[in-house]
Amino acid sequence: MAITNQINRGYLQRKVKTLGIESLSDQELLVLLLLPKQDVKRANQSATAIMTDVCSLRGLETCTLHELRNWLQEDYLQLAAPLELKRRLLTTRKLTLGQMCSSKTAGQYLLPKMQSLQQEVLLGLYLNTKNKIIAEKEISRGTINSANGHPREIMHLAVKYAAAGFIIAHNHPSGDPTPSQSDIQMSQRLAQCGQLLGINLIDHLIIGDGKYLSLREYNVLPALKYAD
């Protein structure tokens, strides 16, 4: 977004008071963060430079301290601190061994952990008969649009941990969690392998930008079967 009129503190305060802080654009939010250390002109220039390079606030999540210094020189901590605070707040939601796990619980845990990854990563959560976590493993790490994980590797871990069920998840760096045909085919193949071994594929989650999709809810996985 090009700046035709410089954004100043008074304008931002009036907008927040009238419409709420959620009404600020990405660039306005950056200016608000930078104003305590920079004058109006410099804050607007810095915000423009950052948005030109990263395109959206989502891109800031993966920026290094070196990149922030290049944009802001000695004022880089104005952005580094809130970004680090956000990271810590999001990662306080953790799954622990022995914790009950559902598709919703796994999705809420994995979303902040995986949504900003720049390459596809495939993770497995392995569960006991009471759907409690016994292991969390990274299965594969791929390219910007592929994280190849062979069913053999996934099922090997399920057998290794004597799991009764498992949830797999991978991210889409594009931010769109819509499953590809290969995602669906892989899920169905895994479910079939699991049925042969008596180990349920509980769900396959696809992590996007700010949201995740459950292939169980997408109705492409067979009904779960439990031993009597």
Side-chain angles (χ1 to χ4, degrees), residues 103 202-206 212-219:
S103 295
I202 306 297
D203 210 339
H204 181 176
L205 304 177
I206 301 178
Y212 67 89
L213 181 141
S214 159
L215 284 175
R216 171 72 54 195
E217 295 177 2
Y218 206 69
N219 293 321

Side-chain angles (χ1 to χ4, degrees), residues 76-91:
Y76 75 99
L77 288 177
Q78 289 297 115
L79 285 188
L83 286 171
E84 176 62 13
L85 179 62
K86 178 190 175 185
R87 186 190 68 79
R88 294 185 188 189
L89 287 171
L90 289 175
T91 54

Side-chain angles (χ1 to χ4, degrees), residues 6-22:
Q6 289 186 347
I7 302 164
N8 59 53
R9 182 181 294 279
Y11 165 78
L12 295 174
Q13 288 175 330
R14 290 191 298 273
K15 186 170 183 179
V16 169
K17 184 177 181 180
T18 304
L19 302 174
I21 197 163
E22 65 276 7

